[in-house]
């Protein structure tokens, strides 16, 4: 496998035990977590926070086209100085994937499938809710709102609880 077979978000050098979230799902990372596979079409928002107890968040919006190429891969790497994910050159990705045993190994063992569903209890699935929430956001609106073309944003809160 020279590239992943589904749209994928690859996160290089992400520390374990940091808070990470995509769309409406939030989780703590593990040492074997390298990203998310099988991303559905549409807009997504990924964020990280160095600690679940802090209210500092850094993230970015990205778009998977409605007819994605199976080779749609978004790369980011952890920048320890900024404590945030930053764009990553493809040559670093090739080295990282080779060190980890190739795309097949990374895809099968270290990428979690995209999921947002809340279960079979009759409640709406969160992915349907996310699509409903973001379905009318345009790239132009995101650029205007984030004030940058990379659609990155950070937030901080002094509240005791988010």
């Amino acid at each position: 496998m020279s590239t992943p077979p589904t749209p994928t978000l690859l996160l290089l050098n992400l520390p374990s035990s940091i808070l990470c979230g995509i769309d409406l799902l939030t989780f703590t990372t593990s040492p074997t977590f390298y990203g998310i596979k099988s991303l559905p079409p549409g807009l997504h928002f990924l964020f990280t926070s160095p600690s679940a107890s802090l209210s500092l968040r850094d993230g970015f919006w990205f778009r998977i086209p409605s007819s994605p190429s199976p080779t749609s891969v978004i790369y980011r790497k952890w920048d320890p100085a900024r404590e945030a994910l930053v764009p990553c050159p493809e040559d670093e990705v090739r080295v990282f994937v080779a060190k980890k045993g190739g795309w097949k190994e990374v895809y099968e063992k270290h990428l979690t499938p995209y999921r947002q569903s809340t279960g079979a209890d009759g409640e709406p699935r969160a992915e349907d809710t996310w699509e409903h929430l973001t379905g009318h956001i345009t790239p132009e609106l995101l650029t205007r709102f984030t004030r940058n073309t990379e659609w990155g944003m950070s937030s901080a809160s002094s509240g005791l609880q988010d």
Side-chain angles (χ1 to χ4, degrees):
M1 172 186 312
S2 60
T3 59
T6 63
T8 298
L9 178 63
L10 184 66
L11 308 172
L12 282 64
N13 307 324
L14 192 63
S16 60
S17 301
I18 67 165
L19 186 66
C20 189
I22 184 165
D23 301 344
L24 299 174
L25 179 68
T26 303
F27 52 93
T28 303
T29 60
S30 73
T32 59
F33 175 77
Y34 297 166
I36 301 166
K37 62 186 175 183
S38 305
L39 292 161
L43 284 171
H44 300 281
F45 183 72
L46 180 89
F47 76 87
T48 56
S49 177
S51 166
S53 63
L54 294 176
S55 294
L56 302 172
R57 304 259 166 82
D58 188 78
F60 64 96
W61 289 88
F62 64 96
R63 183 177 174 276
I64 300 296
S66 28
S67 298
S69 160
T71 59
S72 294
V73 181
I74 296 158
Y75 315 114
R76 291 290 190 272
K77 69 177 179 179
W78 182 256
D79 179 346
R82 283 189 55 205
E83 293 190 320
L85 291 166
V86 297
C88 179
E90 282 192 46
D91 60 329
E92 287 185 42
V93 173
R94 281 191 289 277
V95 170
F96 178 86
V97 170
K99 282 183 180 179
K100 302 300 180 185
W103 269 115
K104 185 175 182 351
E105 181 79 10
V106 169
Y107 188 83
E108 291 177 359
K109 295 185 179 174
H110 299 288
L111 299 176
T112 189
Y114 179 90
R115 59 185 173 274
Q116 298 280 305
S117 62
T118 57
D121 58 359
E123 291 295 311
R125 296 179 328 173
E127 63 218 48
D128 295 336
T129 303
W130 182 253
E131 184 179 336
H132 180 74
L133 289 171
T134 61
H136 298 288
I137 298 174
T138 64
E140 296 78 19
L141 181 62
L142 272 178
T143 300
R144 193 173 88 207
F145 178 73
T146 62
R147 296 185 178 163
N148 63 74
T149 56
E150 294 173 357
W151 300 345
M153 55 193 316
S154 297
S155 67
S157 170
S158 60
L160 296 176
Q161 183 177 5
D162 281 342

